[in-house]
Amino acid sequence: MTVVVVGAGIAGLACARELVDAGLPARVIERSDLVGGRLASEHLDGRWVDTGAAYLTADDPAFLGRLQSWRIAGLAHPWTDTLRGQQGPPTTRWAAPGGLNSLARDLARGLEITLNTEVTELPDAATVVLAMPGPQAAAIFPETAEQTWSPVVTAILTYAERTWPDFAGAFVNDDPVLATVIDDGDRRGDRAPVLVAHSTAGYAREHRTGQKLAEAVGDLLNIKDNPEIKTRFWPYAQPRPGSGDFARYGNVYVCGDAFGRPRVQTAWLSGRAAARAILGEQSVQSTEL
């Protein structure tokens, strides 16, 4: 039995990792030049900056165990349990010294991954896993159920010096432009004068630039200096939460962070659940033979 996983984000990597560790061959195909998807980090000005997901949280025992393994390996650590403007009880948020993408690269070790290859039609394989946002999966396999996703603009703001009071990050409620801002110097632990701002979906639907995000951050933190601005656009950043752990259409499986509360843990659990369903199906077929 051959499994082709399309998409090397956290869901696709978790799926392939589970399959390979169980002895079932799996091949991953990714259209970009690196793994991780929105578990994205960039090496800018000699340091890592997380430009996709801002942090990891865990309330599932299995994913918490995965985080603890990364912690033992020195790849991740608890960062903060409080962000300004947060609602609800304190929640431990995890960061990675080498950027969150280092965790994706760790999952990818030893896997057969083909990069820079865009899939436009369903691969010829016994089983196919589409580990990607619903609109992208539907372009390959139209029978998939519709998913609703929202875009985000991310602005990396680099200042000449730190002029703001220490803080980990903030949720900005009821602002038309700015949704969250993270102190990357605090997150990374090097106190670099770098902030990462994430826009609202409404702003991202109309704009691709970071200037208004920088202005909103300046107003929020009373920063007078003008930063250097680098922007990234994520067309499928925030899904509307769905039900189930994954979707199945015959020999085609769809997984990702739309299957539950949208966060990295959900994507990892979804990919793993799809893999376990495939392994269960293989076991049934082997018994029948």
Side-chain angles (χ1 to χ4, degrees):
M1 182 178 184
T2 301
V3 180
V4 172
V5 179
V6 185
I10 191 74
L13 294 175
C15 181
R17 180 85 274 154
E18 189 81 9
L19 293 171
V20 170
D21 287 352
L24 185 61
R27 181 165 65 96
V28 182
I29 304 175
E30 168 58 42
R31 69 176 184 173
S32 72
D33 60 354
L34 73 170
V35 302
R38 286 201 73 242
L39 212 63
S41 311
E42 298 181 39
H43 204 247
L44 301 173
D45 300 322
R47 61 187 300 278
W48 288 102
V49 180
D50 290 317
T51 57
Y55 49 77
L56 309 182
T57 59
D59 55 20
D60 178 88
F63 189 62
L64 184 58
R66 175 69 267 178
L67 286 178
Q68 294 292 358
S69 295
W70 279 327
R71 182 181 189 176
I72 292 170
L75 295 176
H77 60 83
W79 165 44
T80 184
D81 64 0
T82 304
L83 298 181
R84 294 184 189 178
Q86 74 180 33
Q87 299 176 352
T91 300
T92 300
R93 295 168 174 86
W94 291 67
L100 291 176
N101 187 259
S102 66
L103 309 182
R105 297 194 301 271
D106 181 68
L107 275 180
R109 283 189 305 158
L111 297 179
E112 181 185 350
I113 301 176
T114 302
L115 300 174
N116 295 307
T117 302
E118 185 166 3
V119 175
T120 58
E121 58 184 25
L122 206 63
D124 183 14
T127 301
V128 176
V129 179
L130 301 177
M132 60 185 66
Q136 293 177 328
I140 300 171
F141 186 71
E143 290 82 352
T144 59
E146 183 177 351
Q147 294 178 3
T148 301
W149 289 71
S150 299
V152 163
V153 173
T154 297
I156 305 102
L157 311 176
T158 302
Y159 297 84
E161 59 181 337
R162 295 177 66 91
T163 60
W164 54 86
D166 288 343
F167 81 118
F171 296 109
V172 186
N173 301 310
D174 302 321
D175 188 279
V177 173
L178 182 63
T180 59
V181 56
I182 300 296
D183 186 336
D184 197 68
D186 185 88
R187 175 171 57 187
R188 197 69 56 237
D190 61 2
R191 294 185 57 78
V194 179
L195 301 174
V196 179
H198 302 276
S199 78
T200 62
Y203 178 83
R205 291 189 183 101
E206 301 293 333
H207 306 279
R208 301 286 180 89
T209 65
Q211 182 60 45
K212 289 189 176 180
L213 282 168
E215 293 170 1
V217 168
D219 291 341
L220 178 71
L221 300 176
N222 194 30
I223 301 173
K224 305 301 183 184
D225 297 336
N226 293 320
E228 177 186 351
I229 305 171
K230 295 183 176 70
T231 58
R232 304 291 181 266
F233 176 68
W234 299 96
Y236 304 114
Q238 297 175 342
R240 179 180 295 172
S243 58
D245 296 324
F246 60 91
R248 181 184 179 185
Y249 309 88
N251 71 326
V252 178
Y253 294 74
V254 180
C255 61
D257 59 346
F259 294 93
R261 181 182 172 190
R263 51 181 174 168
V264 175
Q265 173 182 274
T266 300
W268 185 85
L269 289 171
S270 179
R272 191 183 69 148
R276 292 187 171 187
I278 293 168
L279 291 168
E281 181 67 21
Q282 185 205 29
S283 177
V284 169
Q285 293 177 1
S286 298
T287 299
E288 292 175 348
L289 293 176

